[in-house]
Amino acid sequence: MIEYALAKLSSRLNHIREMVPEHTYDVIWDCCCDHGLLGLSLMNSNSTRTVKFVDVVPTIMEQLNKQLSVHAPEYIEWSTLCEDVSTLQLLPTQDRHLVLLAGVGGELSARFIEQILTNNPTVTIDFLLCPVRDLFMLRKTLIKKQLALLDEKLVTDNNRIYEILYVSTRAQEKTISPVGEKIWQTNTLESQQIAKHYLAMLTKHYERAANRSAIAAEALNLYRGVNVFSD
């Protein structure tokens, strides 16, 4: 089953998987990430010894529970939780936790993160995020909640471009930019073309919305100041 999950990972999910460092986390929480494929694939790494799967859809959790009962490695502790991600209690509180959120919108991701932080004020939490839209709104929420940047990346998958944000409650890390910094630093012609195309798409999107939304007008002003450059 683990090999099946690895084979089925999309390019986007595989990029997320590769960003998870080894020997770092006590608990990894796979939240709404494509039927648990991401969490399943991490069972085959040295990233953690505990993986918890969370989704509000009962049928997804029931199927995943059956698969894990048969195929999960014996050395991995796992559990499935059929509940709203925003209600998570990250226990034990002294452990280092990684929350994976991919495939939902930036606005919903922001709401989940705000509630998780409220519910777990003393817990060290890292988040790996890959929303499908509304990145500007998500970044503003992360800044407001004083999260710090560990890494960020632009990736393509099935003719779409995604941002991956790796952020943390650890205050000593780098400040998050509302429009990104590292994602505009390219080292190949292909990555430069992808970044320029993505920036043009964002600018056009916010140009259409700027007259109706103060947030869109703010985003447009900031994205117009972005420059894509090569290392």
Side-chain angles (χ1 to χ4, degrees), residues 54-106:
V54 187
D55 201 297
V56 75
V57 182
T59 52
I60 291 177
M61 289 293 95
E62 289 167 8
Q63 181 64 28
L64 187 57
N65 197 72
K66 291 177 183 177
Q67 294 171 340
L68 288 164
S69 298
V70 176
H71 299 291
E74 293 182 0
Y75 55 85
I76 292 287
E77 180 182 339
W78 62 270
S79 60
T80 57
L81 304 171
C82 187
E83 61 181 74
D84 190 322
V85 172
S86 63
T87 66
L88 286 185
Q89 296 290 329
L90 275 53
L91 301 171
T93 56
Q94 71 273 16
D95 283 355
R96 179 85 177 273
H97 296 262
L98 173 65
V99 176
L100 306 171
L101 266 173
V104 296

Side-chain angles (χ1 to χ4, degrees), residues 8 12 19 23 25-26 30 39-41 73 78 87 100 111 115 121 123 125 133 138 152 196 206 220 225-226:
K8 282 293 193 179
R12 174 176 57 96
M19 290 174 72
H23 310 296
Y25 297 105
D26 299 296
D30 178 327
L40 281 166
S41 72
W78 62 270
T87 66
L100 306 171
R111 191 157 72 243
Q115 198 57 54
V123 182
I125 312 170
R133 58 186 173 275
L138 174 59
E152 60 182 10
K196 286 183 175 180
Y206 286 113
L220 177 60
V226 168

Side-chain angles (χ1 to χ4, degrees), residues 14-28 42 44-49 96-100 126-128 150-151 166-168 170 173:
N14 196 53
H15 277 291
I16 297 171
R17 180 181 184 274
E18 290 175 349
M19 290 174 72
V20 180
E22 294 188 346
H23 310 296
T24 301
Y25 297 105
D26 299 296
V27 187
I28 292 179
L42 286 167
N44 201 36
S45 70
N46 294 315
S47 301
T48 188
R49 288 292 176 265
R96 179 85 177 273
H97 296 262
L98 173 65
V99 176
L100 306 171
D126 292 352
F127 295 91
L128 248 178
L150 298 175
D151 200 3
Y166 189 17
V167 300
S168 177
R170 291 173 283 153
E173 304 298 339

